[in-house]
Amino acid sequence: MTRDEAPEPGGREGNGGGEGVRPHPDRALYAISVAAELAGIPPATLRAWEAKGLLTPRRTDGGTRRYSENDIARSRRIAELSAQGVNSSGIRQILELQDENARLRGAASSATGDGPGAGQD
DNA sequence: TTTCTTACA
DNA sequence: TGTAAGGA
């Protein structure tokens, strides 16, 4: 990082009252090198996973990959799974299930008001 | 700086 | 499968 890069913040809310930044799941998108460092994985590997369909980072108009906190967490999961000997097929299934679970949690907490894992880990 | 392709282990 | 390097 020769320069503190600010990964093109597409749209931001007008902050006038010194509000703290809240890391949304899909809010801030990092460049590949940033995501690679955050996940502790070389950019080339991140690209390889994406080519296998294990990761699907958002792309900007120019075609640059933009990794969100979601993608970072996912990349860590992929790293562990692949390290355990899980093939891309298995990793993809696991990621799919985890993604579905996460989605169900959000829907449940939104409907009932109490968190899905309220009091449960 | 990032992307893609190709090659190697 | 993951990593390296080249060239745009």
Side-chain angles (χ1 to χ4, degrees), chain A residues 5-16 19-31 34 38 57-60 65-74:
Chain A
E5 322 262 332
E8 255 180 69
R12 358 183 113 279
E13 299 97 71
N15 266 351
E19 223 69 33
V21 294
R22 2 168 358 191
H24 261 257
D26 295 2
R27 231 285 289 231
L29 288 155
Y30 309 96
V34 175
L38 285 169
R58 283 170 71 177
R59 292 274 270 261
T60 76
R65 294 172 173 82
R66 250 0 179 233
Y67 292 82
S68 70
E69 302 258 351
N70 247 309
D71 296 317
I72 305 294
R74 199 165 320 192

